[in-house]
């Protein structure tokens, strides 16, 4: 499974990228606004910090205007992936961009039907938002299960990776991995939570306390 960081906070991204466990980044207009930074400037910094795909979302809603923005965003760095919303104009833009060799992440996906269209449009990634479905009492992980099952029926035709988004906690990551999703994009806080377990901390403390009683040192 690939891990992307869902953030436009360059300090967080750099810190997590230092682990070598980060395969990409996803941003969106809300995350960029939260960063308080100039979009193209912070996008360039993120693309320099992480070698994998960095999703940058257009803000236009009409196809031709999306393509103009996509050209500007793609020029920032070779690892920019263009994010478009799952609308007819977004799908049209996705088709045009993917035929031109540009990676596209089709976002704001909330149904299997939408995911089929994203794959038909040549998307590199589709971003189903599990957390926002859970938030309204729908089955977010059920959507991931359906999309993965549908895409598996068309392995030759569909090249779209399922990028699980709107992740709220580690269980979303575990369930996505059990289902076989390709990517999870996680907030920095969830990425850090993945490594945590109380028994790991307790066990390490006990090891180090016992080691200290030996008076030995490995390094010297
Ligand atoms: O960036 C796309 C998605 O991960 C946003 O999720 O937390 O705003 O529902 P969220």
């Amino acid at each position: 499974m690939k891990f992307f960081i869902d953030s436009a906070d360059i300090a967080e991204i750099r810190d997590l990228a230092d682990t070598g466990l980060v395969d990409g980044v996803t941003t969106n207009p809300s995350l960029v606004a939260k960063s308080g930074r100039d979009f193209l400037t912070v996008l360039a910094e993120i693309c320099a910090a992480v070698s994998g795909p960095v999703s940058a979302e257009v803000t236009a809603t009409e196809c031709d205007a999306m393509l103009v923005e996509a050209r500007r965003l793609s020029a920032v760095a070779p690892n920019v992936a263009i994010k478009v919303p799952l609308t007819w104009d977004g799908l049209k833009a996705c088709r045009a961009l993917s035929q031109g060799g540009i990676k596209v992440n089709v976002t704001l996906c909330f149904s299997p039907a939408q995911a089929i269209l994203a794959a038909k449009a040549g998307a590199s990634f589709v971003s189903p938002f599990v957390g926002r479905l859970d938030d309204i009492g729908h089955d977010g992980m059920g959507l991931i299960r359906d999309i993965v099952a549908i895409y598996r029926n068309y392995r030759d035709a569909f090249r779209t990776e399922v990028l699980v988004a709107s992740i709220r906690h580690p269980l979303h990551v575990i369930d996505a991995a059990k289902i076989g999703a390709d990517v999870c994009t996680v907030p920095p806080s969830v990425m850090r939570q993945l490594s945590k377990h109380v028994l790991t901390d307790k066990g390490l403390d006990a090891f180090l306390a016992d080691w200290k009683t030996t008076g030995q040192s490995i390094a010297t």
Side-chain angles (χ1 to χ4, degrees), residues 167-199:
I167 283 179
R168 297 278 189 271
H169 45 67
L171 279 180
H172 276 155
V173 176
I174 294 163
D175 288 343
K178 286 178 180 176
I179 294 166
D182 301 284
V183 188
C184 276
T185 192
V186 292
S189 59
V190 173
M191 186 73 176
R192 292 193 172 89
Q193 276 181 287
L194 293 175
S195 71
K196 287 289 183 193
H197 196 291
V198 61
L199 291 181

Side-chain angles (χ1 to χ4, degrees), residues 6 26-28 31 83 107 129 132 165-168 185:
D6 197 32
T26 53
T27 69
N28 65 43
L31 292 170
K83 233 185 190 184
T107 191
F129 280 30
R132 294 193 190 183
S166 187
I167 283 179
R168 297 278 189 271
T185 192

Side-chain angles (χ1 to χ4, degrees), residues 39-40 56-75 82-83 97:
F39 184 20
L40 298 191
E57 189 162 343
V58 298
T59 56
T61 54
E62 186 275 327
C63 180
D64 290 344
M66 287 180 181
L67 297 179
V68 171
E69 291 186 4
R71 273 192 289 275
R72 187 132 194 259
L73 293 171
S74 297
I82 299 301
K83 233 185 190 184
L97 292 167

Side-chain angles (χ1 to χ4, degrees), residues 67 70-71 74 80 82 92-104 121-124:
L67 297 179
R71 273 192 289 275
S74 297
V80 167
I82 299 301
K92 281 165 56 180
C94 176
R95 190 98 182 112
L97 292 167
S98 59
Q99 286 178 332
I102 290 176
K103 282 187 183 290
V104 180
S124 296

Side-chain angles (χ1 to χ4, degrees), residues 156-168:
D156 296 336
F158 291 175
R159 302 284 183 188
T160 305
E161 291 188 80
V162 180
L163 194 166
V164 182
S166 187
I167 283 179
R168 297 278 189 271

